[in-house]
Amino acid sequence: MAYIASKQWGITLPNDKLKPLLSKHAQPENCSHITTLTVNPEIWDQMNHFKGKAGLRVSNIQQLLQKATFGMLKVCDKLVYQQPRSDKETLAANIDAIVLLGHVVG
C-alpha cells in the first residue's frame, strides 16, 4: 500500500481516468449531509477572473475530498460488518481513495 500511495501522491489524473474513478464512489444514502458548497451564479458573475478560477479550484478539491471520503466510508462499512470475500473490493476502494487524495495535492 505504501508503494501505491507513494506512486500516486501528487499525480494529476487525466479526465478520462478521473471521471470513471469519481463515478465509482456515489454518496451513500445515509450520508446526505456530506455535501460541498455551491456558489450562487450571480456571485460568480461578480468575481474577477482570478478569484473565480481560485474558487473553482477549491470547489474541485472539495468534490475530490468528498468522493475520497465516500470511498473510505465504504471500506469502513465493509470492515465493520466483515463481509465475506470483500478483500479485493476493500483493497480497490482504499486504492481509489488514495489516488483521489493524491490528485487533490497534485
Side-chain angles (χ1 to χ4, degrees), residues 51-75:
K51 288 183 181 178
K53 192 172 183 179
L56 186 59
R57 175 79 174 137
V58 169
S59 177
N60 288 338
I61 289 170
Q62 288 175 336
Q63 181 187 17
L64 290 167
L65 290 172
Q66 180 189 42
K67 293 292 185 168
T69 300
F70 295 157
M72 295 305 294
L73 287 171
K74 287 180 189 177
V75 170

Side-chain angles (χ1 to χ4, degrees), residues 1 9 17-18 23 39 43 47 51 58 65 68 70 88 90 94 101:
M1 287 304 294
W9 196 256
K17 290 188 178 185
L18 182 60
S23 68
V39 178
I43 293 173
M47 288 184 179
K51 288 183 181 178
V58 169
L65 290 172
F70 295 157
K88 287 184 180 180
T90 303
N94 272 320
L101 290 171

Side-chain angles (χ1 to χ4, degrees), residues 20-87:
L21 189 58
L22 290 173
S23 68
K24 284 173 46 177
H25 299 290
Q27 186 168 7
E29 290 180 18
N30 61 347
C31 294
S32 60
H33 62 281
I34 299 176
T35 60
T36 57
L37 298 175
T38 55
V39 178
N40 191 325
E42 290 82 19
I43 293 173
W44 277 107
D45 291 340
Q46 293 178 8
M47 288 184 179
N48 67 31
H49 177 71
F50 178 74
K51 288 183 181 178
K53 192 172 183 179
L56 186 59
R57 175 79 174 137
V58 169
S59 177
N60 288 338
I61 289 170
Q62 288 175 336
Q63 181 187 17
L64 290 167
L65 290 172
Q66 180 189 42
K67 293 292 185 168
T69 300
F70 295 157
M72 295 305 294
L73 287 171
K74 287 180 189 177
V75 170
C76 292
D77 191 53
K78 287 179 183 181
L79 292 174
V80 167
Y81 294 108
Q82 299 285 325
Q83 293 181 359
R85 289 172 276 151
S86 66
D87 292 340

